[in-house]
Amino acid sequence: MTEEYDYFLPDELIRQTPLEKRDASRLFVLHREGKNEHRHFSDIIDYLHPGDTLVLNDTKVLPARLFGVKEETKAVIELLLLKELTSDTWEALCRPAKRVKVGSIISFGDGLLKAECISERDEGIREFRLHYQGVLLEILEQLGTMPLPPYIHEELKDQSRYQTVYAKTPGSAAAPTAGLHFTKPLLEQLEAKGISVCYITLHVGLGTFRPVSVSDIHEHEMHSEYYEMSEEVANLLNETKRRGGRVVAVGTTSVRTLETIYHNHQTFTATNGWTKIFIYPGFTFQAVDAMITNFHLPKSTLVMLVSAFAGRERVLSAYKEAVEKGYYFFSFGDSMFID
C-alpha cells in the first residue's frame, strides 16, 4: 500500500539552494548488513573499491520552462517541455491548461518560438508542434529557465548548479540529482584509485518524482523515459561483473536504466529504447550491487525503489534517523550510499 511509504519531514529540511561546494554535502551510509555511518560526500571514495564501476547518467536538463502569451487573447501561459515525440513535436505541461485548446498558438520571445497545440491530454498535458528558425536548443537557452521542482521556492542564481558536472546529452525535464554531489576532481580521484567511471543516458521525466496517487501501488503506471547504453559501457559492465567487481549506480535513473537493460537481455548490451520499469519491494535486482542516491519524496516511486533495494523498514528507519540528525532532503539535499 502507498501509505506504507510515507514519513514525516519538516519543511525546514527541504534545502532550497545548493551548497557552495558540491561534495561538501553530508553522506548517510546505509549498510544493508551493519550499522549506519554518517560522513561527508567527499568520503565516498572510502566506500568504493578498485575494480568497482561507477555508472553515471549524463543527461542534461533542458531550460525548458517557458513563459509566453496566447496569440488570440494575450493570456500568459507557462509551458514545460517534457518529451520530444517526433521532430519538433513535444509533450508539454501547460498552465493554466484550461486556456489551451487544440489550435491555440503560444508565442515566446515576440515570436522567436511558437507552440501550436495539436492534442489535449489529461493532467494539464498537451502536445505541441514547435515553429522556429535555427537551433531549438539555442532558442531554449535564450528564452527558457530551469524547470526546478515545485518544492524549490527560491530562485536559482547559477543555472549550472541544477546540472551535473558531467551533463552532456540534452533531453531531461529534471536533473538526476544524486549526481549533483560529484566534482571533476572527485571523479579523477576515484579513477586514480582504480574505480572505473562510465556514462549511460536516461532522460528524466517529471513522472518519476510525482507521489503515487493510487492506494494500491500495483495500480500505478509509470511514465516512459528514453535511455541509451553504448557498446563500450556494456562491455565494461559485463567485465566488471565477470571479475567480481561491483556495479555502483549513481541515482535511481541509472538504477532503472541498468535493471531495464539487464532484465530485457540477461546481460548488459548496447541498446536504446523507452522504459516504464517500476521497481518496488519484491523486485529482483540483477544489475546493481550498490547505489548512491538522494533522500526522496514521501510516497514516491523513488522511495519504493530504494526500499526494494534495502528493505522498506530499514529505509524508513534510516529516513527517520536522517530527520533526527538534520539531514537535508530532495534535489539540493544530502546524499545516501547503500551497499
Side-chain angles (χ1 to χ4, degrees), residues 279-298:
I279 298 175
Y280 53 86
F283 181 86
T284 301
F285 287 84
Q286 295 177 278
V288 175
D289 302 301
M291 73 172 74
I292 296 168
T293 187
N294 277 16
F295 293 91
H296 303 295
L297 275 72

Side-chain angles (χ1 to χ4, degrees), residues 9-36:
L9 178 67
D11 287 344
E12 61 267 23
L13 293 184
I14 303 174
R15 187 185 287 282
Q16 295 296 308
T17 55
L19 284 173
E20 185 176 343
K21 287 187 63 180
R22 289 176 181 261
D23 61 0
S25 60
R26 296 170 71 186
L27 176 66
F28 191 118
V29 182
L30 174 58
H31 298 295
R32 286 182 286 179
E33 296 180 10
K35 289 186 176 181
N36 300 332

Side-chain angles (χ1 to χ4, degrees), residues 4 24 33 56 77 86 94 139 151 157 227 242 295 306:
E4 294 176 332
E33 296 180 10
L56 303 125
I77 305 292
T86 60
C94 58
I139 292 171
Y151 48 76
K157 294 177 181 177
Y227 67 87
R242 188 193 66 77
F295 293 91
V306 175

Side-chain angles (χ1 to χ4, degrees), residues 246-302:
R246 295 181 302 173
V247 172
V248 182
V250 177
T252 55
T253 61
S254 295
V255 173
R256 295 178 67 243
T257 304
L258 294 169
E259 293 296 338
T260 293
I261 293 170
Y262 211 98
H263 275 70
N264 287 346
H265 303 279
Q266 294 307 299
T267 187
F268 295 112
T269 187
T271 185
N272 63 72
W274 296 84
T275 182
K276 298 178 74 172
I277 191 170
F278 180 16
I279 298 175
Y280 53 86
F283 181 86
T284 301
F285 287 84
Q286 295 177 278
V288 175
D289 302 301
M291 73 172 74
I292 296 168
T293 187
N294 277 16
F295 293 91
H296 303 295
L297 275 72
K299 297 192 285 188
S300 66
T301 61
L302 305 185

